[in-house]
Amino acid sequence: MTQRCIVVLGMHRSGTSMLMGTLREAGLYVGDVLDKPFALNRKGLQEPPAVLYMHEHLLEANGGSWHSPPKDVQWDKMHEAIRDLFIESRTGKSLWGFKDPRTLLTLEGWKSALPNLELVGIFRHPSEVALSLKNRNDFDSEKSLNLWLHYNQRLLDIHRSAPFPLVEFHQNVAKMRDELTRMIEQTQMPLQLRANDLTFFEGGIRTYSSTLSLPESVAALYHELRERAV
């Protein structure tokens, strides 16, 4: 059986859960994920716990964390073994996938095990992400924007090397569903849904009005991501 694996790339607080939930709704197998609602995410994280916890430990082993990304991520045999067991658990699934924002920092290790890995990506306005991180983690704007820059520079670099479907997260429900439909069509998933059939995204996610002044590097990166979006 030919297997396909689709991985969602995007930083924290940027709509990765919404994108994963929509792909799941469209027919992507995700297995057991964290899908219980909580205050900051009404439909859950849509992340497999095994991947989340392995990534956390992997980043710690490399001297960092999700909010203090290490300069380089080296996989050791233990983390590779957990990865391989996770992949093996998807045996028999022709189309499966996963998401965890930390994958932007660990992608090379996944690609070495899954050379035909397929990617989709999502990004969000840097001010929105910064203020969301302030609300959730009490990070100041400088730290939050630096994190946005680090994660989304990775997203852009990966996209430059081999383009893949990319969307911007926003609150316009009809427009968002149209863009998600185009993304699904670009992945050539077997189950094609019309925009009106994609009900996972309902809008209503908290937005933040911001007067943050964006550094030139952040503004330029955001502009290029928008030019590359579906």
Side-chain angles (χ1 to χ4, degrees):
M1 175 191 298
T2 300
Q3 278 193 305
R4 296 175 61 196
C5 176
I6 298 177
V7 172
V8 169
L9 296 182
M11 87 160 288
H12 306 263
R13 313 308 299 158
S14 295
T16 57
S17 301
M18 180 276 294
L19 177 52
M20 186 79 262
T22 301
L23 292 172
R24 182 184 186 184
E25 179 182 42
L28 186 69
Y29 176 80
V30 299
D32 293 329
V33 294
L34 300 169
D35 55 6
K36 302 300 182 186
F38 59 99
L40 293 175
N41 198 321
R42 292 185 293 111
K43 295 193 175 182
L45 294 173
Q46 303 296 316
E47 296 171 9
V51 171
L52 189 160
Y53 298 135
M54 185 272 284
H55 278 167
E56 285 277 12
H57 193 273
L58 175 60
L59 295 178
E60 289 177 7
N62 282 272
S65 66
W66 74 264
H67 56 84
S68 182
K71 291 183 178 180
D72 188 36
V73 175
Q74 297 294 326
W75 290 63
D76 60 24
K77 292 187 181 301
M78 180 186 72
H79 298 105
E80 289 176 348
I82 296 170
R83 174 203 64 194
D84 294 345
L85 285 171
F86 179 76
I87 294 171
E88 185 179 343
S89 72
R90 271 56 185 164
T91 300
K93 303 298 181 183
S94 61
L95 180 65
W96 63 277
F98 68 90
K99 82 93 173 171
D100 173 23
R102 299 162 189 80
T103 310
L104 272 171
L105 310 177
T106 67
L107 183 62
E108 286 74 12
W110 288 100
K111 291 174 73 174
S112 68
L114 296 166
N116 296 320
L117 188 71
E118 300 176 42
L119 305 174
V120 295
I122 191 166
F123 63 96
R124 187 181 184 186
H125 192 285
S127 293
E128 286 278 315
V129 172
L131 290 169
S132 183
L133 288 173
K134 169 67 176 175
N135 181 56
R136 189 186 74 172
N137 302 97
D138 201 27
F139 292 167
D140 61 36
S141 59
E142 181 179 7
K143 178 178 178 68
S144 295
L145 289 174
N146 282 337
L147 278 172
W148 187 96
L149 186 64
H150 185 92
Y151 275 82
N152 285 285
Q153 185 64 62
R154 286 277 296 156
L155 181 65
L156 180 59
D157 289 345
I158 296 165
H159 196 274
R160 283 172 173 168
S161 65
F164 51 85
L166 183 66
V167 293
E168 178 177 9
F169 172 78
H170 51 75
Q171 284 283 25
N172 185 316
V173 175
K175 185 172 184 288
M176 189 80 256
R177 288 179 178 176
D178 283 339
E179 292 168 1
L180 291 167
T181 299
R182 287 200 297 274
M183 169 177 274
I184 290 170
E185 289 171 348
Q186 289 179 17
T187 66
Q188 298 182 340
M189 288 176 59
L191 179 59
Q192 301 294 325
L193 296 182
R194 299 183 303 273
N196 289 339
D197 295 327
L198 296 171
T199 60
F200 185 88
F201 177 60
E202 301 172 329
I205 295 173
R206 181 174 178 180
T207 57
Y208 303 84
S209 57
S210 170
T211 57
L212 283 182
S213 177
L214 298 181
E216 184 177 343
S217 56
V218 171
L221 179 53
Y222 175 62
H223 177 72
E224 184 168 352
L225 286 172
R226 295 196 78 190
E227 289 188 327
R228 291 170 174 268
V230 300

